[in-house]
Each structure stands twice: as C-alpha cells, then as structure tokens.
Amino acid sequence: MSASTDTKKYWLDSSENVTKLYRGLWVVCLMLVGIDLFLHRHEDFEFATLFGFHAAYGFFACVALVLAAKQLRKLIMRPEDYYDRDSDER
C-alpha cells in the first residue's frame, strides 16, 4: 500500500481531538498546581515551600533543556548525506 492511497484516519488527525487533548493537559496541569495549596511538604530550603515552586522549576528546566539541545545540535550536526558518502570523503 503506497502512502498516497493510505486512507486510514488516526485520532490526532482531527483538530477537535487535538484541541481536547490540549485542553485536557491544561486541566491536569492546573489540578496538579492546585494540589500545592493543600499539600504540606517538609522541605530543606525555604524557597521550595513557595506556592507553585515545583511546577515553575519543572517548566523552566524543560525550557532550558530544549534551548540547550538546540545549541548542541549546531555543534554535533552532520550533513544530510553524511552516511551516504564514502569514508574517504569524510
């Protein structure tokens, strides 16, 4: 079966399902941050007891990882035909 005749429809092909998934993720994230209002933690550092600290820390750590990966890609990226070339040309 070629790709042009493939008519199988996946659940994320529908924009309504993508919107539902996106909104569902927002709801779960807000619920997890809301739990922070009622949760008592025994932290070693005072700043870790601030409301939403762990959520903000996780978000900014994830953003930092993505930005670091983009810079690392520039350093270690190979040309598109790197493996198609002879070993003498590398």
Side-chain angles (χ1 to χ4, degrees):
M1 180 185 277
S2 68
S4 62
T5 62
D6 187 14
T7 59
K8 186 171 181 179
K9 192 109 162 122
Y10 297 97
W11 71 281
L12 284 177
D13 290 339
S14 172
S15 64
E16 295 89 25
N17 290 338
V18 173
T19 302
K20 288 177 188 175
L21 180 66
Y22 183 72
R23 289 181 180 163
L25 287 173
W26 270 105
V27 168
V28 168
C29 288
L30 289 174
M31 286 174 42
L32 289 173
V33 171
I35 289 172
D36 202 17
L37 289 171
F38 307 104
L39 190 66
H40 177 70
R41 286 186 301 281
H42 301 277
E43 297 287 348
D44 292 331
F45 301 103
E46 188 65 32
F47 62 84
T49 61
L50 296 173
F51 172 73
F53 169 77
H54 291 88
Y57 182 80
F59 175 77
F60 289 118
C62 184
V63 169
L65 281 173
V66 169
L67 294 177
K70 288 177 79 170
Q71 297 304 315
L72 186 61
R73 181 177 182 262
K74 293 177 185 177
L75 290 174
I76 63 174
M77 189 171 78
R78 301 277 186 229
E80 198 169 311
D81 62 344
Y82 179 77
Y83 292 105
D84 294 335
R85 293 192 230 160
D86 292 333
S87 61
D88 298 335
E89 294 179 25
R90 292 184 203 160

XYZ file of all heavy atoms in Angstrom:
743
model
N 0.849 -1.182 0.000
C 0.000 0.000 0.000
C 0.891 1.240 0.000
O 1.746 1.404 0.847
C -0.902 -0.035 1.228
C -1.808 1.155 1.313
S -2.778 1.199 2.821
C -4.105 0.135 2.361
N 0.685 2.117 -0.939
C 1.503 3.322 -1.005
C 0.937 4.393 -0.089
O -0.214 4.334 0.334
C 1.567 3.834 -2.444
O 0.299 4.311 -2.834
N 1.770 5.379 0.168
C 1.361 6.450 1.085
C 0.235 7.288 0.501
O -0.578 7.843 1.227
C 2.555 7.325 1.421
N 0.162 7.397 -0.834
C -0.864 8.232 -1.453
C -2.247 7.600 -1.370
O -3.254 8.288 -1.407
C -0.504 8.528 -2.900
O -0.449 7.304 -3.620
N -2.332 6.260 -1.264
C -3.626 5.591 -1.172
C -3.991 5.212 0.255
O -5.018 4.597 0.473
C -3.632 4.324 -2.059
O -2.634 3.433 -1.575
C -3.392 4.672 -3.507
N -3.168 5.561 1.206
C -3.439 5.253 2.605
C -4.545 6.174 3.113
O -4.372 7.378 3.208
C -2.173 5.422 3.436
C -2.353 4.963 4.869
O -3.355 4.276 5.144
O -1.493 5.281 5.700
N -5.695 5.588 3.438
C -6.831 6.398 3.881
C -7.129 6.195 5.359
O -8.157 6.642 5.830
C -8.083 6.046 3.061
O -8.355 4.663 3.227
C -7.893 6.401 1.602
N -6.266 5.521 6.074
C -6.506 5.290 7.494
C -6.461 6.620 8.236
O -5.564 7.428 8.038
C -5.464 4.332 8.061
C -5.747 3.941 9.481
C -4.850 2.846 9.961
C -5.227 2.492 11.380
N -4.415 1.423 11.899
N -7.434 6.832 9.081
C -7.539 8.081 9.832
C -7.140 7.812 11.279
O -7.636 6.876 11.901
C -8.978 8.583 9.774
C -9.155 9.973 10.243
C -9.456 10.878 9.092
C -10.050 12.157 9.632
N -9.282 13.290 9.258
N -6.255 8.605 11.801
C -5.812 8.479 13.186
C -6.549 9.496 14.038
O -7.043 10.511 13.553
C -4.302 8.675 13.276
C -3.544 7.618 12.507
C -3.087 7.869 11.218
C -3.301 6.380 13.063
C -2.401 6.898 10.503
C -2.615 5.399 12.356
C -2.167 5.671 11.080
O -1.509 4.708 10.378
N -6.578 9.260 15.354
C -7.392 10.116 16.223
C -6.828 11.517 16.358
O -7.567 12.459 16.631
C -7.631 9.460 17.571
C -6.453 9.373 18.478
C -5.444 8.468 18.417
C -6.162 10.217 19.578
N -4.543 8.698 19.415
C -4.952 9.771 20.143
C -6.808 11.309 20.148
C -4.382 10.378 21.242
C -6.232 11.909 21.245
C -5.035 11.443 21.777
N -5.529 11.705 16.152
C -4.961 13.056 16.225
C -5.026 13.794 14.884
O -4.584 14.927 14.785
C -3.513 13.003 16.724
C -3.359 12.769 18.215
C -1.893 12.662 18.594
C -4.029 13.854 19.024
N -5.572 13.141 13.847
C -5.773 13.821 12.568
C -6.916 14.826 12.651
O -6.987 15.758 11.867
C -6.060 12.816 11.445
C -4.842 11.989 11.093
O -3.715 12.431 11.403
O -5.018 10.905 10.509
N -7.806 14.638 13.592
C -8.936 15.537 13.770
C -8.535 16.704 14.677
O -8.019 16.498 15.776
C -10.104 14.771 14.387
O -11.140 15.651 14.736
N -8.791 17.916 14.220
C -8.398 19.094 15.014
C -9.185 19.178 16.322
O -8.693 19.722 17.306
C -8.574 20.374 14.203
O -9.933 20.583 13.888
N -10.415 18.635 16.335
C -11.195 18.643 17.574
C -10.514 17.790 18.645
O -10.507 18.155 19.821
C -12.615 18.115 17.330
C -13.456 18.967 16.410
C -13.294 18.565 14.954
O -12.937 17.404 14.672
O -13.515 19.422 14.090
N -9.955 16.653 18.241
C -9.271 15.788 19.200
C -7.989 16.421 19.719
O -7.638 16.268 20.887
C -8.979 14.422 18.584
C -10.236 13.612 18.374
O -11.250 13.849 19.018
N -10.182 12.661 17.467
N -7.290 17.139 18.856
C -6.074 17.836 19.283
C -6.438 18.908 20.295
O -5.766 19.068 21.320
C -5.338 18.432 18.072
C -4.172 19.292 18.517
C -4.867 17.336 17.133
N -7.524 19.627 20.037
C -7.981 20.664 20.967
C -8.376 20.054 22.312
O -8.030 20.591 23.370
C -9.170 21.428 20.364
O -8.767 21.990 19.112
C -9.652 22.529 21.292
N -9.076 18.909 22.281
C -9.462 18.238 23.522
C -8.239 17.795 24.314
O -8.194 17.934 25.538
C -10.341 17.020 23.223
C -11.729 17.359 22.750
C -12.486 16.092 22.411
C -13.811 16.393 21.763
N -14.494 15.157 21.336
N -7.256 17.251 23.621
C -6.028 16.807 24.280
C -5.293 17.996 24.902
O -4.840 17.927 26.046
C -5.127 16.088 23.284
C -3.799 15.565 23.821
C -4.042 14.462 24.838
C -2.936 15.050 22.685
N -5.190 19.088 24.158
C -4.511 20.294 24.642
C -5.202 20.841 25.886
O -4.561 21.145 26.895
C -4.494 21.328 23.516
C -3.763 22.594 23.833
C -2.372 22.624 23.920
C -4.451 23.791 24.052
C -1.702 23.789 24.210
C -3.783 24.946 24.344
C -2.406 24.946 24.418
O -1.740 26.091 24.719
N -6.519 20.938 25.829
C -7.270 21.451 26.987
C -7.189 20.490 28.169
O -7.128 20.920 29.317
C -8.713 21.706 26.598
C -8.861 22.898 25.685
C -10.281 23.165 25.319
N -10.365 24.332 24.442
C -11.397 24.628 23.702
N -12.477 23.863 23.734
N -11.385 25.687 22.929
N -7.203 19.188 27.888
C -7.079 18.202 28.953
C -5.744 18.310 29.676
O -5.684 18.187 30.906
N -4.680 18.535 28.916
C -3.363 18.711 29.534
C -3.328 19.954 30.413
O -2.731 19.948 31.490
C -2.278 18.778 28.460
C -1.939 17.461 27.786
C -0.972 17.685 26.625
C -1.349 16.479 28.775
N -3.973 21.028 29.964
C -4.054 22.246 30.779
C -4.796 21.982 32.083
O -4.388 22.439 33.154
C -4.738 23.376 30.005
C -3.777 24.207 29.232
C -3.572 24.193 27.894
C -2.876 25.183 29.757
N -2.589 25.088 27.559
C -2.155 25.720 28.675
C -2.605 25.655 31.035
C -1.178 26.699 28.846
C -1.634 26.640 31.191
C -0.941 27.144 30.104
N -5.890 21.239 31.996
C -6.677 20.942 33.198
C -5.856 20.118 34.184
O -5.832 20.404 35.391
C -7.988 20.219 32.820
C -8.677 19.636 34.042
C -8.919 21.156 32.080
N -5.158 19.102 33.681
C -4.334 18.265 34.559
C -3.238 19.101 35.211
O -2.983 18.981 36.419
C -3.747 17.072 33.772
C -2.679 16.364 34.572
C -4.842 16.112 33.375
N -2.585 19.965 34.437
C -1.521 20.812 34.994
C -2.067 21.757 36.060
O -1.446 21.922 37.116
C -0.843 21.602 33.880
S 0.189 20.605 32.808
N -3.217 22.360 35.805
C -3.808 23.267 36.794
C -4.226 22.515 38.049
O -4.086 23.035 39.168
C -4.992 24.007 36.188
C -4.626 25.059 35.132
C -5.891 25.624 34.487
C -3.787 26.168 35.731
N -4.731 21.290 37.894
C -5.093 20.489 39.068
C -3.858 20.146 39.892
O -3.896 20.206 41.132
C -5.815 19.215 38.635
C -7.232 19.449 38.169
S -8.061 17.998 37.477
C -7.598 16.699 38.547
N -2.771 19.817 39.232
C -1.548 19.488 39.963
C -0.991 20.695 40.707
O -0.493 20.574 41.836
C -0.501 18.916 39.001
C -0.797 17.517 38.482
C 0.210 17.134 37.406
C -0.775 16.513 39.615
N -1.074 21.866 40.089
C -0.627 23.081 40.776
C -1.589 23.396 41.932
O -1.163 23.835 42.997
C -0.519 24.271 39.797
C -0.282 25.573 40.524
C 0.604 24.024 38.797
N -2.884 23.141 41.720
C -3.870 23.387 42.772
C -3.657 22.505 43.994
O -3.943 22.905 45.122
N -3.174 21.297 43.775
C -2.882 20.396 44.892
C -1.846 21.029 45.818
O -1.844 20.787 47.023
C -2.407 19.030 44.365
C -3.566 18.288 43.729
C -1.795 18.181 45.468
C -3.161 17.013 43.023
N -1.016 21.878 45.257
C 0.042 22.531 46.033
C -0.542 23.403 47.155
O 0.140 23.676 48.139
C 0.912 23.372 45.094
C 2.284 23.642 45.649
O 2.694 22.928 46.589
O 2.964 24.547 45.137
N -1.787 23.834 47.023
C -2.424 24.631 48.073
C -2.671 23.809 49.343
O -2.659 24.341 50.443
C -3.755 25.199 47.579
C -3.680 26.304 46.541
C -5.065 26.590 45.995
C -3.072 27.553 47.147
N -2.901 22.521 49.171
C -3.292 21.677 50.297
C -2.195 20.735 50.761
O -2.334 20.099 51.801
C -4.524 20.847 49.906
C -5.634 21.688 49.388
C -5.917 21.737 48.035
C -6.402 22.464 50.248
C -6.947 22.525 47.557
C -7.432 23.253 49.778
C -7.706 23.288 48.424
N -1.133 20.637 50.011
C -0.074 19.682 50.302
C 0.962 20.320 51.226
O 1.445 21.423 50.973
C 0.589 19.245 48.988
C 1.558 18.090 49.044
C 0.825 16.817 49.409
C 2.222 17.921 47.693
N 1.294 19.610 52.290
C 2.328 20.097 53.204
C 3.586 19.266 52.983
O 3.575 18.045 53.125
C 1.877 19.970 54.657
C 2.933 20.386 55.620
N 3.324 21.706 55.765
C 3.701 19.669 56.476
C 4.286 21.759 56.670
N 4.535 20.547 57.118
N 4.645 19.948 52.612
C 5.916 19.259 52.355
C 6.947 19.684 53.400
O 6.940 20.819 53.871
C 6.433 19.606 50.959
C 5.656 18.931 49.867
C 6.278 19.177 48.519
N 6.381 20.582 48.153
C 5.384 21.312 47.700
N 4.203 20.797 47.555
N 5.555 22.569 47.383
N 7.813 18.782 53.708
C 8.918 19.060 54.620
C 10.161 19.299 53.768
O 10.862 18.370 53.384
C 9.133 17.885 55.586
C 7.925 17.576 56.396
N 7.615 18.267 57.548
C 6.933 16.681 56.222
C 6.494 17.792 58.047
N 6.051 16.834 57.258
N 10.390 20.550 53.446
C 11.493 20.908 52.551
C 12.713 21.351 53.353
O 12.603 21.871 54.461
C 11.067 22.046 51.620
C 9.926 21.688 50.699
C 10.328 20.744 49.585
O 11.533 20.530 49.369
O 9.425 20.213 48.928
N 13.860 21.171 52.743
C 15.107 21.609 53.363
C 15.367 23.095 53.137
O 16.078 23.726 53.918
C 16.281 20.804 52.803
C 16.223 19.347 53.234
O 15.674 19.070 54.323
O 16.721 18.494 52.480
N 14.817 23.647 52.070
C 15.041 25.057 51.744
C 13.714 25.795 51.763
O 12.697 25.293 51.277
C 15.685 25.188 50.361
C 17.001 24.470 50.264
C 17.102 23.249 49.626
C 18.143 25.022 50.833
C 18.312 22.581 49.536
C 19.348 24.369 50.762
C 19.437 23.137 50.116
N 13.733 26.992 52.293
C 12.508 27.774 52.460
C 11.857 28.119 51.130
O 10.638 28.131 50.994
C 12.827 29.055 53.247
C 11.604 29.847 53.634
C 10.701 29.098 54.600
O 11.206 28.310 55.413
O 9.481 29.306 54.537
N 12.664 28.409 50.087
C 12.090 28.803 48.792
C 11.316 27.655 48.142
O 10.439 27.880 47.316
C 13.166 29.327 47.842
C 14.231 28.308 47.493
C 14.027 27.388 46.486
C 15.430 28.293 48.181
C 14.998 26.466 46.160
C 16.418 27.375 47.866
C 16.193 26.446 46.857
N 11.595 26.419 48.525
C 10.891 25.269 47.954
C 9.469 25.138 48.492
O 8.679 24.368 47.967
C 11.667 23.994 48.214
N 9.134 25.896 49.531
C 7.780 25.846 50.081
C 6.863 26.873 49.431
O 5.675 26.901 49.730
C 7.806 26.090 51.601
O 8.345 27.383 51.858
C 8.622 25.026 52.310
N 7.379 27.716 48.540
C 6.552 28.708 47.861
C 5.522 28.025 46.970
O 5.789 26.976 46.377
C 7.416 29.637 47.018
C 8.409 30.506 47.779
C 9.309 31.248 46.811
C 7.680 31.474 48.673
N 4.353 28.639 46.856
C 3.277 28.078 46.036
C 3.721 27.981 44.573
O 4.177 28.953 43.986
C 2.015 28.940 46.133
C 0.947 28.525 45.175
C 0.225 27.371 45.397
C 0.677 29.267 44.044
C -0.756 26.969 44.525
C -0.304 28.877 43.165
C -1.023 27.729 43.395
N 3.591 26.806 43.994
C 3.905 26.595 42.593
C 5.381 26.503 42.268
O 5.754 26.502 41.094
N 6.231 26.410 43.282
C 7.675 26.382 43.025
C 8.065 25.193 42.159
O 8.797 25.333 41.188
C 8.464 26.349 44.333
C 9.926 26.045 44.125
C 10.775 27.030 43.650
C 10.435 24.783 44.368
C 12.113 26.766 43.429
C 11.773 24.504 44.163
C 12.609 25.495 43.688
N 7.582 24.010 42.505
C 7.977 22.809 41.784
C 7.460 22.826 40.344
O 8.139 22.363 39.425
C 7.513 21.556 42.522
C 8.250 21.349 43.799
N 7.835 21.898 44.977
C 9.390 20.682 44.067
C 8.679 21.571 45.932
N 9.632 20.830 45.412
N 6.262 23.362 40.124
C 5.722 23.471 38.768
C 6.562 24.443 37.936
O 6.911 24.156 36.788
C 4.270 23.933 38.822
N 6.891 25.587 38.509
C 7.691 26.578 37.788
C 9.097 26.055 37.530
O 9.647 26.220 36.430
C 7.751 27.886 38.577
N 9.665 25.395 38.516
C 11.009 24.835 38.356
C 11.031 23.794 37.233
O 11.929 23.782 36.391
C 11.465 24.208 39.674
C 12.861 23.647 39.638
C 13.960 24.479 39.761
C 13.072 22.284 39.461
C 15.242 23.963 39.723
C 14.358 21.758 39.423
C 15.435 22.604 39.546
O 16.703 22.094 39.496
N 10.031 22.919 37.208
C 9.946 21.908 36.162
C 9.759 22.515 34.787
O 10.368 22.081 33.811
N 8.921 23.548 34.699
C 8.690 24.209 33.412
C 9.956 24.871 32.893
O 10.341 24.689 31.735
C 7.569 25.249 33.556
C 7.363 26.056 32.307
C 6.691 25.508 31.229
C 7.840 27.355 32.212
C 6.503 26.238 30.074
C 7.658 28.094 31.060
C 6.985 27.539 29.994
N 10.620 25.638 33.743
C 11.833 26.334 33.300
C 12.986 25.363 33.031
O 13.800 25.600 32.138
C 12.231 27.415 34.305
C 11.290 28.587 34.285
C 10.567 28.920 35.414
C 11.102 29.335 33.138
C 9.693 29.984 35.407
C 10.225 30.406 33.109
C 9.515 30.733 34.247
N 13.042 24.264 33.755
C 14.065 23.250 33.478
C 13.824 22.616 32.108
O 14.770 22.376 31.347
C 14.063 22.191 34.568
N 12.581 22.368 31.774
C 12.244 21.795 30.472
C 12.584 22.771 29.347
O 13.146 22.379 28.323
C 10.765 21.427 30.440
S 10.262 20.614 28.921
N 12.258 24.041 29.532
C 12.599 25.057 28.523
C 14.113 25.154 28.362
O 14.627 25.232 27.242
C 11.986 26.422 28.914
C 12.527 27.541 28.047
C 10.468 26.358 28.810
N 14.847 25.112 29.462
C 16.311 25.184 29.394
C 16.883 23.974 28.657
O 17.839 24.116 27.875
C 16.897 25.264 30.807
N 16.315 22.785 28.869
C 16.781 21.598 28.157
C 16.549 21.720 26.652
O 17.411 21.346 25.854
C 16.079 20.352 28.685
C 16.598 19.792 29.993
C 15.694 18.667 30.473
C 18.005 19.271 29.807
N 15.400 22.238 26.258
C 15.114 22.402 24.831
C 16.075 23.415 24.216
O 16.624 23.184 23.127
C 13.645 22.825 24.618
C 13.394 23.254 23.181
C 12.712 21.686 25.003
N 16.296 24.523 24.884
C 17.217 25.536 24.349
C 18.647 25.017 24.288
O 19.377 25.281 23.322
C 17.141 26.812 25.198
C 15.803 27.549 25.148
C 15.824 28.748 26.083
C 15.474 27.990 23.729
N 19.064 24.252 25.285
C 20.405 23.663 25.275
C 20.536 22.644 24.150
O 21.570 22.566 23.478
C 20.706 23.014 26.620
N 19.488 21.862 23.908
C 19.526 20.866 22.834
C 19.626 21.532 21.469
O 20.315 21.030 20.579
C 18.288 19.983 22.908
N 18.960 22.671 21.305
C 19.056 23.387 20.023
C 20.479 23.879 19.779
O 20.973 23.831 18.649
C 18.071 24.557 20.009
C 16.628 24.111 19.878
C 15.674 25.270 19.946
C 15.647 25.982 18.621
N 14.573 26.977 18.539
N 21.150 24.347 20.819
C 22.527 24.795 20.664
C 23.470 23.614 20.450
O 24.401 23.689 19.653
C 22.958 25.605 21.893
C 22.165 26.873 22.093
C 22.188 27.788 20.876
O 23.231 28.011 20.281
N 21.026 28.279 20.496
N 23.229 22.514 21.147
C 24.059 21.324 20.995
C 23.928 20.741 19.592
O 24.898 20.231 19.033
C 23.664 20.291 22.041
C 24.515 19.033 22.127
C 25.958 19.395 22.489
C 23.943 18.087 23.155
N 22.754 20.854 19.020
C 22.528 20.362 17.657
C 23.440 21.077 16.666
O 23.936 20.477 15.715
C 21.070 20.571 17.283
C 20.707 20.079 15.909
C 19.208 20.278 15.669
N 18.848 19.776 14.379
C 18.719 20.523 13.295
N 18.927 21.817 13.364
N 18.373 19.992 12.141
N 23.648 22.362 16.873
C 24.528 23.119 15.976
C 25.968 22.599 16.043
O 26.691 22.639 15.054
C 24.503 24.601 16.335
C 23.179 25.262 16.068
C 23.200 26.706 16.525
C 21.844 27.357 16.383
N 21.844 28.722 16.895
N 26.371 22.124 17.210
C 27.738 21.647 17.386
C 27.970 20.261 16.797
O 29.034 19.984 16.240
C 28.095 21.609 18.873
C 28.248 22.939 19.574
C 28.452 22.724 21.064
C 29.413 23.707 18.991
N 26.986 19.378 16.938
C 27.232 17.989 16.562
C 26.471 17.546 15.309
O 26.541 16.380 14.938
C 26.894 17.030 17.723
C 25.424 17.103 18.080
C 27.759 17.309 18.917
C 25.011 16.086 19.117
N 25.786 18.456 14.635
C 25.012 18.083 13.465
C 25.922 17.687 12.308
O 26.936 18.326 12.049
C 24.112 19.241 13.037
C 23.130 18.862 11.968
S 21.925 20.162 11.661
C 22.894 21.279 10.690
N 25.548 16.623 11.624
C 26.265 16.153 10.444
C 25.480 16.552 9.198
O 24.270 16.746 9.260
C 26.392 14.625 10.479
C 27.115 14.109 11.687
C 28.598 14.186 11.453
N 29.288 13.551 12.574
C 30.281 14.099 13.205
N 30.712 15.280 12.842
N 30.871 13.483 14.194
N 26.162 16.626 8.052
C 25.430 16.902 6.806
C 24.395 15.810 6.529
O 24.523 14.673 7.002
C 26.516 16.888 5.738
C 27.788 17.098 6.463
C 27.598 16.557 7.843
N 23.384 16.149 5.751
C 22.290 15.231 5.494
C 22.748 13.937 4.823
O 22.206 12.867 5.063
C 21.253 15.929 4.615
C 19.917 15.271 4.622
C 18.862 16.127 3.954
O 18.774 17.324 4.281
O 18.138 15.584 3.110
N 23.759 14.019 3.975
C 24.237 12.832 3.258
C 25.499 12.248 3.895
O 26.275 11.586 3.232
C 24.492 13.169 1.795
C 25.578 14.225 1.623
O 25.911 14.916 2.613
O 26.094 14.354 0.499
N 25.688 12.444 5.167
C 26.908 12.019 5.860
C 27.150 10.521 5.727
O 28.255 10.080 5.452
C 26.821 12.410 7.342
C 28.018 12.007 8.155
C 29.201 12.728 8.078
C 27.969 10.907 9.003
C 30.306 12.372 8.832
C 29.063 10.540 9.755
C 30.233 11.279 9.661
O 31.329 10.917 10.407
N 26.116 9.713 5.914
C 26.296 8.266 5.882
C 26.286 7.701 4.454
O 26.640 6.556 4.240
C 25.233 7.571 6.734
C 25.426 7.854 8.203
C 24.604 8.733 8.880
C 26.465 7.264 8.896
C 24.801 8.998 10.225
C 26.676 7.538 10.248
C 25.833 8.397 10.897
O 26.040 8.666 12.228
N 25.856 8.490 3.484
C 25.868 8.039 2.102
C 27.220 8.237 1.435
O 27.508 7.638 0.399
C 24.819 8.797 1.292
C 23.394 8.460 1.749
O 23.242 7.350 2.312
O 22.500 9.280 1.565
N 28.054 9.059 2.002
C 29.384 9.323 1.437
C 30.349 8.179 1.725
O 30.167 7.428 2.671
C 29.973 10.595 2.053
C 29.239 11.827 1.684
C 30.073 13.008 2.083
N 29.247 13.943 2.840
C 29.708 14.850 3.632
N 30.983 14.947 3.849
N 28.912 15.678 4.244
N 31.387 8.112 0.916
C 32.458 7.147 1.184
C 33.246 7.605 2.382
O 33.307 8.786 2.706
C 33.398 7.032 -0.021
C 32.714 6.398 -1.215
O 31.776 5.617 -0.995
O 33.107 6.700 -2.346
N 33.884 6.685 3.062
C 34.654 7.047 4.250
C 35.840 7.923 3.907
O 36.367 8.639 4.761
C 35.109 5.785 4.977
O 35.941 5.020 4.136
N 36.318 7.904 2.667
C 37.437 8.752 2.253
C 37.050 10.224 2.192
O 37.893 11.094 2.372
C 37.981 8.316 0.891
C 38.516 6.902 0.921
O 38.916 6.438 2.020
O 38.530 6.238 -0.149
N 35.795 10.503 1.912
C 35.353 11.882 1.763
C 35.108 12.577 3.099
O 35.039 13.783 3.163
C 34.055 11.916 0.952
C 34.232 11.462 -0.474
C 32.911 11.488 -1.216
O 32.014 12.267 -0.819
O 32.762 10.752 -2.181
N 34.912 11.826 4.166
C 34.607 12.413 5.477
C 35.838 13.057 6.000
O 36.000 13.893 6.688
C 34.118 11.351 6.456
C 32.776 10.831 6.060
C 32.299 9.858 7.101
N 31.330 8.981 6.463
C 30.971 7.816 6.903
N 31.473 7.343 8.009
N 30.102 7.092 6.285
